[in-house]
Amino acid sequence: MSGNSFGKLYKLTSFGESHGKAVGGIIEGVAPGLELDMEFIQKEMNRRRPGQSTITTPRDEKDKVEILSGEFEGKATGTPMGFVVWNADQRSGDYSNIKDIYRPSHADYTYQSKYGIRDYRGGGRSSARETIARVFAGAIAKLILKKEQIEIHAFTSSVGNISLNKHFSELDLSKTDNNIVRCPDSETAKKMIDYIDQVRQNKDSVGGIITCVIKNVPVGLGEPVFEKLHANLGHAMLGINAVKGFEYGSGFGATQMMGSEHNDEYYMEDNKVRTKTNRSGGIQGGISNGEDIYFNVAFKPIATILKEQKTVNAEGNEVMTTVKGRHDPCVLPRAVPIVEAMAAMVLVDHIYLNKMYH
Amino acid sequence: MSGNSFGKLYKLTSFGESHGKAVGGIIEGVAPGLELDMEFIQKEMNRRRPGQSTITTPRDEKDKVEILSGEFEGKATGTPMGFVVWNADQRSGDYSNIKDIYRPSHADYTYQSKYGIRDYRGGGRSSARETIARVFAGAIAKLILKKEQIEIHAFTSSVGNISLNKHFSELDLSKTDNNIVRCPDSETAKKMIDYIDQVRQNKDSVGGIITCVIKNVPVGLGEPVFEKLHANLGHAMLGINAVKGFEYGSGFGATQMMGSEHNDEYYMEDNKVRTKTNRSGGIQGGISNGEDIYFNVAFKPIATILKEQKTVNAEGNEVMTTVKGRHDPCVLPRAVPIVEAMAAMVLVDHIYLNKMYH
Amino acid sequence: MSGNSFGKLYKLTSFGESHGKAVGGIIEGVAPGLELDMEFIQKEMNRRRPGQSTITTPRDEKDKVEILSGEFEGKATGTPMGFVVWNADQRSGDYSNIKDIYRPSHADYTYQSKYGIRDYRGGGRSSARETIARVFAGAIAKLILKKEQIEIHAFTSSVGNISLNKHFSELDLSKTDNNIVRCPDSETAKKMIDYIDQVRQNKDSVGGIITCVIKNVPVGLGEPVFEKLHANLGHAMLGINAVKGFEYGSGFGATQMMGSEHNDEYYMEDNKVRTKTNRSGGIQGGISNGEDIYFNVAFKPIATILKEQKTVNAEGNEVMTTVKGRHDPCVLPRAVPIVEAMAAMVLVDHIYLNKMYH
Amino acid sequence: MSGNSFGKLYKLTSFGESHGKAVGGIIEGVAPGLELDMEFIQKEMNRRRPGQSTITTPRDEKDKVEILSGEFEGKATGTPMGFVVWNADQRSGDYSNIKDIYRPSHADYTYQSKYGIRDYRGGGRSSARETIARVFAGAIAKLILKKEQIEIHAFTSSVGNISLNKHFSELDLSKTDNNIVRCPDSETAKKMIDYIDQVRQNKDSVGGIITCVIKNVPVGLGEPVFEKLHANLGHAMLGINAVKGFEYGSGFGATQMMGSEHNDEYYMEDNKVRTKTNRSGGIQGGISNGEDIYFNVAFKPIATILKEQKTVNAEGNEVMTTVKGRHDPCVLPRAVPIVEAMAAMVLVDHIYLNKMYH
């Protein structure tokens, strides 16, 4: 109820602040008997990890996950999986200058107002460090999806005004991790990387779009009315730090179309009902129709910049604030695995829910 | 769990198909003692009602709500409020020709696949007729919000490529209902109406954008991490039929901005912390900061058109389908009260949740 | 959250007061395609109905259920099933004398204190009339259980100090409805009926115990730790009006036993793991083990009696109160179908939940 | 959904097996600003701890809780409180002989059947070691209740057939912890201790009853119909290992009473509505009425005994089983703090829920 759980049958409850002892969580609904491929899991964790490239935050964390329960001899037991990742590089001292200062467009002011208390040493609970728990739970979810041949591919499709102007079907999505910005088109990737580097040198940050494609989804996932598959995907994505928008299928572009242009014509292929076009984005009436699901997630430039800014403090005085040290000029490369993780959790949850009817 | 409930403490559970006996629902969490202004409530219902203007569906329904419980002598008792709206103009005969046909971009195929059975006489549970329950629950929620001086204003801001190119602060939002397209700018409204009329004559449909502004929100609404205020607003909006996208504050536009441009500078005004700009859309770290909340909701052109279309039927044969009779060329005017209703429910829910901390 | 929903995947949300227009509810999770045997359903409703015999309340209600949605051509569609039962014999006038009076051991005072308002014409939401919704949802659940050969048998096992001193295995449980007190042993039944009749003539009421046996439960139902199968059964039973206690298997008797006496020895029978004794009551570690589940539910004498009683009114004055007209000297015969209904809902819910793991 | 969470607004999600690395959990809904009195918390943990006296299990665990989040400078921050207790004395070797053996009346067989896999080194998730998380969450809940002057007193009221035949009002409940069996009457306590010691020497175990009294509860806690305060208390208690029954107020005794005997007469005292007797157990219509709440919890003798027993193994062979080493002849002394912890959580949850209406 207090917003720290995600999912119903496959469910993550997370805990942890950026400058506390640890972040972690509990996953319920892990399929008993599932082989826990720890190498794969840690690789997913590393994709989110800070310090992995020159264009992300250099905070140095190993982010090694420790499973505390729900596992026996390398397999899931079906009981809740408690896990923890210790915060190594907390550097509490770095933030002492902002104890009473509300950093612009951060959550300092709103948390202080809501709770009357906060861990002022960093972003606390609003820090993206919390997403470690999501990536771990998403990695487990991906292992479950693998058995159903369901694939999730997120990638950076725009940074600032540098856009990847190709349809996802034209891209080799296995190449996403070949570069540090996680754009599967190497040429566009290079432009993005150069641009981010320039932004970093300007002590600034920049936003962008992550596109996500989900393949081999069975027909029938999604619960009508309030738990439509895309509504739950949207809810998941909008819960990621710095996200400002979500669109699936034809998205905002659909608002300028006619019904006769937009409707997806059905036809038969190999005895299966298929659609010729896929403006529906693989979801009709909130329920998957077997076509590729795809959606876009809009990220704002993150609020932490190294430039001096005007703001106010807790005493109501107008002051200047400057963050020193490290910052993350573009959050998108590290957000790619988070988008995938959230999507994976939504899918596993709906797969479980759907079993009720069969 | 099966997707028919919305909200946690202020909660609607709805039921009903387009061609069944009735639609209705149960609302939990109505504040005991609340005066039930039935005139206001019915007025809200009428705003959603079909047949209210030349540019919407002519299906003739009175949509008079009957409260069955939770009310005593004109006031809410705090117990669950059961309510029902009878389906008068069902015209079952109209749809018999589509018994086995999967209408393009409708939910016929996905529902049939998921459940193995459906009420083929119309859209069934996927019909927008279900939104009656939402508008009723939203009207009650608005009565609760009125006591807190919170105002919700949704309006049509684009239809096809006709856009209202004004910031909401420049508009007189009390004029939204002055015209049948529900755009507060009369000049733009006229263009939209003419355009929709033309679309209607072409037996086609068209999409558009609804913008929603929420004023006088107290600081502190929203639960961190997974139940961020904007994530719950997005979830609510994406659950409305024909919605393809959601953005709040700077939205997709933020993806092309620098942090130094995007951050909202804090200042003090009348002893309150305020922001000079409001790219945050009134929400920071998922929690309201007291500034206006605003967001856009993208609607696709609805799938029902009177043109002939190719499709397949349940036997797997490729057939043509034509819907005869009435259709709704542009869903936006009637969706405006639905957007407001969902937003109202989200806010009341978060107001209740927030009381836990105080 | 406000206490009007029961279950997770098979879920009833109910509404209605004793003297409002109607009681009813919404059931989510009805298996699509389920044949709705309306004769069976109405028969279950009749078992709970007042006025069915000389030893229960003579309030005259037909209690005919009207299904409003989720049904098509006699089958469930899998969408939420809205239903309503109209209150015919409300007799508002009967209760006018108790408008401001807190009837002893009723919920008048606590409801008034909690909500500040209540429908004073009768028990309102706390009236057992609400259990109509449970019996309907239970009847649907029983139809689902029938397909799995699961049987639920509740019966009156004691009234005052008249006890049925036989183990359930010695009884022919198909005979429960052969008499109006719903005790499968005709001799004990006769004593109970005579006793209740005497209590009725004394304008008094009397309590008793209902025993419930569930047969053919598959191994594996129940979720560990907080949703143990017996904990959910207990929760369900304790939510029935007038219930004061719950015990399963060896129950309170176990408190006087040694482990060596109490443990159920395992043995093999037809290649299945069985227990020789069944003090576990068919549940071990919160999970069903395939043996018969059985439990006892303790009912107090209901608070409505026709004798004069001392009490206070809303103004804080000490007054006398007398209920005139009808009363229910022993609630047990009508509570038997309610106990079965709640048990049926718990089982269907756990059957659905258990599918997650397979 | 998978049964590892308890509560709605004040919510514990727990994890951990008896022979895994750790047990722990996450608490949501801790009031921000709450002073975390660690001395009190650890004292509560110690009351549950094994090895605390000669009549409980000698398993040696320090059970020192480590708070990982949701705490800053000794106060709760309102964010989720992650915590962990490491398993020190696992002694995996002890249990190797029971790898494939289903211990009588344990959960070995049901877990194996449900999940197809289990940590066979001990009770796994069904072990009472999991209750550490409950006692910790209960200790935090007690700190919240202290501010409202609400007191919870549980005590051992019978062991085998040695009963404390005094009404709780005659007892000095502050003396409960003065002896190792946690019975506030020293004379009865002595008898119980001697008896348990004898049972222990016989390598057997024995059951009993814990009574719990809650004082100073405000009027109005409890949600009608399905979340009645006593139904939630019952649900909480029945989720504790080895519990077979629950009764509140007059309990099973009420089944032998007349309404005219059982009804609690109202009167006025200091301008407050009071009841002369308290057979209602402080709860009417599921809602607290301000009188003392009291209930009994029945514990069976725990299944682990040191005597040889017949059983079967996973291969379906009939075998003998003997547990060697330590065992807990009577679980009640250590269950007293667990009963209190669960009750405390239920109360805090309902206090939060009740704020919605005000």
Side-chain angles (χ1 to χ4, degrees), chain B residues 1 9 15 38 40 49 70-71 88 92 95 111 114 154 180 208 230 238-239 247 265 300 312 315-316 335-336 341 352:
Chain B
M1 200 63 50
L9 293 175
F15 69 82
M38 288 309 295
F40 171 78
R49 196 168 60 82
E71 180 266 341
S92 291
Y95 291 83
Y111 268 67
K114 184 179 184 80
I180 56 178
H230 59 266
L238 288 157
E247 58 178 4
E265 187 184 315
K300 68 165 187 172
V312 301
E315 286 76 42
V336 162
Y352 285 166

Side-chain angles (χ1 to χ4, degrees), chain C residues 79-193:
Chain C
T79 59
M81 191 173 284
F83 64 94
V84 74
V85 174
W86 301 97
N87 288 338
D89 181 28
Q90 305 174 16
R91 289 209 227 166
S92 292
D94 294 351
Y95 291 83
S96 59
N97 59 323
I98 52 159
K99 176 176 173 176
D100 292 320
I101 290 177
Y102 298 143
R103 292 169 297 165
S105 290
H106 273 89
D108 302 338
Y109 167 62
T110 52
Y111 268 66
Q112 185 67 41
S113 301
K114 184 179 184 79
Y115 298 109
I117 182 175
R118 73 193 162 97
D119 182 343
Y120 54 73
R121 295 172 299 174
R125 186 70 180 144
S126 75
S127 161
R129 186 145 181 83
E130 173 276 333
T131 58
I132 286 182
R134 309 190 193 194
V135 172
F136 176 69
I140 305 281
K142 280 184 176 182
L143 290 174
I144 295 171
L145 295 177
K146 265 187 189 175
K147 299 188 141 189
E148 321 263 343
Q149 276 79 47
I150 299 172
E151 293 171 27
I152 300 180
H153 302 279
F155 54 89
T156 301
S157 55
S158 83
V159 171
N161 48 29
I162 302 169
S163 274
L164 173 59
N165 291 315
K166 288 181 179 166
H167 189 261
F168 66 81
S169 60
E170 302 169 68
L171 299 166
D172 179 351
L173 299 177
S174 71
K175 290 190 174 165
T176 295
D177 275 13
N178 285 8
N179 57 66
I180 56 178
V181 78
R182 296 207 162 91
C183 172
D185 182 76
S186 60
E187 205 174 332
T188 314
K190 199 181 167 318
K191 287 184 206 159
M192 289 171 171
I193 293 165

Side-chain angles (χ1 to χ4, degrees), chain C residues 3 195 204 228 239 258 260 354, chain D residues 114 195 204 224 228 239 258 260:
Chain C
Y195 181 57
D204 217 329
K228 292 183 168 91
M258 296 284 150
S260 54
N354 204 40
Chain D
K114 184 178 184 79
Y195 181 56
D204 216 328
K228 293 183 167 91
M258 294 285 151
S260 54

Side-chain angles (χ1 to χ4, degrees), chain B residues 209-236:
Chain B
I209 295 174
I210 289 175
T211 298
C212 185
V213 182
I214 313 178
K215 290 171 172 292
N216 301 330
V217 180
V219 185
L221 301 189
E223 298 302 313
V225 186
F226 297 114
E227 307 295 343
K228 292 183 167 92
L229 187 54
H230 59 266
N232 285 6
L233 286 167
H235 181 244

Side-chain angles (χ1 to χ4, degrees), chain A residues 3 105 110-111 114 195 204-205 220 222-224 226 228 230 238-239 246 258-260 263-264 284 303 309 316 354, chain B residues 3 105 110-111 114 195 204-205 220 222-224 226 228 230 238-239 244 246 258-260 263-264 268 284 303 309 354:
Chain A
S105 290
T110 52
Y111 268 67
K114 185 179 184 80
Y195 181 58
D204 217 329
S205 62
E223 298 301 314
F226 297 114
K228 292 183 167 92
H230 59 266
L238 288 157
F246 171 84
M258 295 286 150
S260 55
N263 282 355
D264 291 317
Q284 292 176 324
Q309 298 175 88
N354 204 41
Chain B
S105 289
T110 52
Y111 268 67
K114 184 179 184 80
Y195 180 57
D204 216 329
S205 63
E223 298 302 313
F226 297 114
K228 292 183 167 92
H230 59 266
L238 288 157
K244 301 293 286 190
F246 170 86
M258 295 285 150
S260 54
N263 282 356
D264 292 317
M268 297 302 296
Q284 291 176 325
Q309 296 175 87
N354 204 41

Side-chain angles (χ1 to χ4, degrees), chain A residues 1-6 8 12 14 102-107 109-111 113-115 125 130 134 160-161 195 199 204-209 219-220 222-228 230-232 234-235 238-239 241 243-248 250-252 254-260 262-268 273 279-280 284-285 287-289 296 298-301 303 305 307 309-312 316 318 342 353-354 357-358, chain B residues 1-6 8 12 14 102-107 109-111 113-115 125 130 134 160-161 195 199 204-209 219-220 222-228 230-232 234-235 238-239 241 243-248 250-252 254-260 262-268 273 279-280 284-285 287-289 296 298-301 303 305 307 309-312 316 318 342 353-354 357-358:
Chain A
M1 199 64 52
S2 62
N4 302 293
S5 290
F6 186 81
K8 294 182 177 70
L12 167 68
S14 83
Y102 298 143
R103 292 169 297 164
S105 290
H106 272 89
Y109 168 61
T110 52
Y111 268 67
S113 300
K114 185 179 184 80
Y115 298 107
R125 186 71 181 143
E130 172 277 331
R134 309 190 195 194
N161 48 31
Y195 181 58
V199 167
D204 217 329
S205 62
V206 67
I209 295 174
V219 186
E223 298 301 314
V225 185
F226 297 114
E227 307 296 343
K228 292 183 167 92
H230 59 266
N232 286 6
H235 181 241
L238 288 157
N241 306 41
V243 171
K244 302 293 285 190
F246 171 84
E247 59 178 2
Y248 82 104
S250 52
F252 274 84
T255 67
Q256 303 202 9
M257 293 174 84
M258 295 286 150
S260 55
H262 189 273
N263 282 355
D264 291 317
E265 188 183 315
Y266 284 118
Y267 73 105
M268 298 301 297
V273 176
R279 294 184 192 96
S280 297
Q284 292 176 324
I287 298 171
S288 61
N289 68 357
N296 290 324
F299 287 80
K300 67 165 188 172
I305 56 176
K307 294 187 166 180
Q309 298 175 88
K310 277 193 198 165
T311 190
V312 301
E318 302 193 7
M342 295 306 294
L353 273 171
N354 204 41
Y357 302 106
H358 302 292
Chain B
M1 200 63 50
S2 61
N4 302 291
S5 290
F6 186 81
K8 293 184 178 72
L12 166 68
S14 83
Y102 299 142
R103 292 168 299 164
S105 289
H106 272 88
Y109 168 61
T110 52
Y111 268 67
S113 300
K114 184 179 184 80
Y115 298 107
R125 186 70 181 145
E130 173 275 333
R134 310 190 195 193
N161 48 30
Y195 180 57
V199 167
D204 216 329
S205 63
V206 67
I209 295 174
V219 185
E223 298 302 313
V225 186
F226 297 114
E227 307 295 343
K228 292 183 167 92
H230 59 266
N232 285 6
H235 181 244
L238 288 157
N241 306 44
V243 171
K244 301 293 286 190
F246 170 86
E247 58 178 4
Y248 83 104
S250 52
F252 275 84
T255 66
Q256 304 202 8
M257 294 174 82
M258 295 285 150
S260 54
H262 190 273
N263 282 356
D264 292 317
E265 187 184 315
Y266 284 118
Y267 73 106
M268 297 302 296
V273 174
R279 293 183 194 97
S280 298
Q284 291 176 325
I287 298 171
S288 61
N289 68 357
N296 290 323
F299 288 80
K300 68 165 187 172
I305 56 175
K307 293 187 168 179
Q309 296 175 87
K310 276 194 200 164
T311 189
V312 301
E318 302 193 5
M342 296 307 295
L353 274 171
N354 204 41
Y357 302 107
H358 302 291

